[in-house]
């Protein structure tokens, strides 16, 4: 079983909670509250991930990253973006220097600014 399969299965479960009863499903409750609540939760989980990293405790880091990834998948579902889109972007970047990728994004942003 690959990580892609795990993410796809989890994304399917999350998507199935859309429109569900917020009293019975945490994910349905997040969807009902909207993007601000979902994005706030990602911010909280990102902060907790940073703090776990500072503590250097492997188990805590894994737990917090799992929470961060989960809530990120909720956000992707909220915006109708399948995890495969993110995985495809990661595959596209594979083998490209992070510095090269950053420079390319900056150049693309500058080009977009000139068009507007």
């Amino acid at each position: 079983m690959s990580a892609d399969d795990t993410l796809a299965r989890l994304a399917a479960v999350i998507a199935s909670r859309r429109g569900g009863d917020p009293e019975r499903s945490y994910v349905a409750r997040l969807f009902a509250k909207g993007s601000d609540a979902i994005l706030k939760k990602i911010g909280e989980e990102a902060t907790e991930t940073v703090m776990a990293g500072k503590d250097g405790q492997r188990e805590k880091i894994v737990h917090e990253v799992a929470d961060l990834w989960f809530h990120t998948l909720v956000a992707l579902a909220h915006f109708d973006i399948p995890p495969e889109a993110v995985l495809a972007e990661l595959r596209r970047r594979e083998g490209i220097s992070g510095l090269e990728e950053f420079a390319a994004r900056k150049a693309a942003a500058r080009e977009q600014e000139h068009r507007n």
Side-chain angles (χ1 to χ4, degrees):
M1 180 181 321
S2 75
D4 291 10
D5 295 338
T6 301
L7 290 175
R9 282 194 321 279
L10 183 53
V13 169
I14 290 169
S16 76
R17 301 296 195 265
R18 189 186 288 251
D21 182 357
E23 296 298 318
R24 303 191 76 210
S25 166
Y26 171 72
V27 173
R29 187 176 307 152
L30 282 174
F31 280 135
K33 289 181 179 181
S35 61
D36 284 350
I38 294 167
L39 297 173
K40 180 180 176 187
K41 193 64 185 167
I42 290 172
E44 291 171 8
E45 297 302 343
T47 299
E48 290 172 7
T49 299
V50 169
M51 297 310 294
K54 289 191 135 319
D55 291 345
Q57 296 175 352
R58 179 181 165 81
E59 186 175 315
K60 194 172 180 182
I61 294 167
V62 169
H63 177 85
E64 295 302 341
V65 170
D67 287 349
L68 178 58
W69 286 13
F70 176 82
H71 288 91
T72 300
L73 286 170
V74 173
L76 288 173
H78 177 76
F79 294 108
D80 295 318
I81 301 169
E84 177 53 38
V86 177
L87 294 171
E89 175 62 12
L90 289 171
R91 283 190 294 273
R92 184 191 69 76
R93 294 180 186 185
E94 195 171 359
I96 299 173
S97 158
L99 296 175
E100 290 173 14
E101 174 63 25
F102 180 71
R105 278 189 273 151
K106 278 183 81 170
R110 279 193 306 269
E111 185 175 313
Q112 184 64 29
E113 284 178 15
H114 290 293
R115 288 183 194 163
N116 295 332

